[in-house]
Amino acid sequence: MAKGLLIDTVRCTGCRGCQSACKQWNLKPAVETSYNPSMTNPIETNAHTYVHVEFFEIPKPNGEISWHFVSKRCMHCIHPACVSVCPVGALQKLDNGRVVWEEGKCIGCRYCQNACPFDIPKFTWYDEDGNIDNWNKIAKCTMCWDRAETGNPTEEPACSKTCPPSAIFYGEREQLLSLAKNRIQQRPDKYYNHIYGENEAGGTQVMFLAGVSPLDIGFPEVENEPHPDFTWDFLSKIPYEIAGIAVFLAGTYYFRTMRLKAKGELTSGKGGTH
């Protein structure tokens, strides 16, 4: 059964507990950052930070300032464009709703990065020791796919399990939608009447509630049609170029696979190692 997350930004306190829990579960290192007056730190997700909290100051009509905190990550689209454009099948949409990748297959072509309407996939420009990574690979939230596979310690993602103010909910998508609609109906003075992710890009497994317009807290305006329809329409118009690129990428994949096998580094695990 496909599951997802509902993130109620009205209840978020900006504690970054989700951000820390994600790093701890995925064994990701700290990333050097610089001063940022918005208090968002790091400024965006990166190869070693799959979840991060963005801070927004929005002026009210009476001149006061309202604070908004948004825990952002991969949206895990129902019809993911990243999966549709991956030339080597490194990205997959699982039946449980998660969009994952196989690290050993990724050739670093960056097609997924360009196709994603939410600008989510990031690449490993540097390895976990801070050295330049000569084989850049995709990196993003997997909604803790390994916890879902084993149920250990629980199938619930680390971010929602940790959230102190219970602003992140994990469950079946229809149940999450029902919860979100009920909150908007019960408190129209508190919630903006829009569930971000219900229809964007054909719908996503991760959805958001907010007290202001999604555009005011950094979400892009995205069409409701599934994006793989757009990408395949585009690709179909350049068959010869794509064929040539596919041959090149297949050769690159073969060379890289042989190299990793020789070094004993090849892994078939989805979403990287853990």
Side-chain angles (χ1 to χ4, degrees):
M1 183 67 71
K3 295 187 175 180
L5 299 171
L6 173 65
I7 301 172
D8 187 342
T9 65
V10 173
R11 300 187 68 166
C12 180
T13 61
C15 70
R16 296 194 179 100
C18 53
Q19 191 170 310
S20 299
C22 176
K23 272 188 176 289
Q24 185 179 38
W25 178 255
N26 290 291
L27 305 177
K28 290 299 177 183
V31 176
E32 184 175 350
T33 60
S34 57
Y35 173 72
N36 174 17
S38 76
M39 295 184 67
T40 300
N41 190 4
I43 196 66
E44 62 178 358
T45 58
N46 55 57
H48 304 302
T49 308
Y50 299 162
V51 172
H52 86 139
V53 179
E54 294 186 5
F55 291 65
F56 295 89
E57 290 180 332
I58 299 178
K60 295 180 179 179
N62 62 5
E64 296 179 351
I65 297 292
S66 63
W67 280 82
H68 301 266
F69 316 111
V70 188
S71 176
K72 292 188 176 178
R73 60 183 55 63
C74 175
M75 299 289 285
H76 295 272
C77 300
I78 294 175
H79 308 283
C82 58
V83 173
S84 72
V85 299
C86 182
V88 295
L91 283 146
Q92 303 172 44
K93 175 72 174 179
L94 302 182
D95 291 339
N96 61 21
R98 290 151 170 88
V99 176
V100 300
W101 82 96
E102 291 194 28
E103 187 175 288
K105 284 187 175 181
C106 181
I107 57 175
C109 67
R110 302 177 66 181
Y111 276 22
C112 57
Q113 188 176 37
N114 293 324
C116 178
F118 304 106
D119 193 25
I120 291 298
K122 297 298 185 293
F123 282 80
T124 55
W125 301 115
Y126 298 93
D127 63 23
E128 296 183 356
D129 297 321
N131 302 313
I132 294 177
D133 189 340
N134 293 322
W135 288 97
N136 312 130
K137 299 174 289 294
I138 182 180
K140 71 170 193 67
C141 160
T142 64
M143 213 192 302
C144 292
W145 76 275
D146 46 351
R147 293 167 73 114
E149 290 279 317
T150 65
N152 183 24
T154 168
E155 71 165 74
E156 184 174 0
C159 59
S160 58
K161 186 66 176 176
T162 300
C163 183
S166 298
I168 306 176
F169 300 89
Y170 174 69
E172 295 178 12
R173 189 171 188 272
E174 291 306 313
Q175 293 176 333
L176 296 176
L177 274 174
S178 177
L179 173 63
K181 291 175 181 177
N182 184 57
R183 290 197 171 188
I184 292 174
Q185 184 179 27
Q186 294 295 322
R187 294 296 305 271
D189 58 317
K190 196 173 183 180
Y191 291 98
Y192 187 83
N193 187 18
H194 185 88
I195 305 167
Y196 192 81
E198 179 181 11
N199 298 310
E200 280 77 8
T204 60
Q205 305 291 151
V206 178
M207 298 175 288
F208 291 83
L209 276 177
V212 295
S213 165
L215 302 182
D216 290 336
I217 49 177
F219 286 105
E221 191 171 9
V222 175
E223 299 85 353
N224 289 343
E225 290 75 18
H227 276 238
D229 294 345
F230 301 148
T231 53
W232 280 117
D233 183 60
F234 168 75
L235 292 175
S236 67
K237 290 180 172 56
I238 50 174
Y240 296 110
E241 288 81 355
I242 290 300
I245 292 172
V247 170
F248 170 74
L249 294 176
T252 304
Y253 172 59
Y254 175 79
F255 171 75
R256 181 171 181 252
T257 301
M258 293 299 104
R259 176 175 174 271
L260 290 175
K261 282 184 176 178
K263 294 175 65 176
E265 294 178 355
L266 187 64
T267 173
S268 60
K270 301 181 182 66
T273 56
H274 185 270

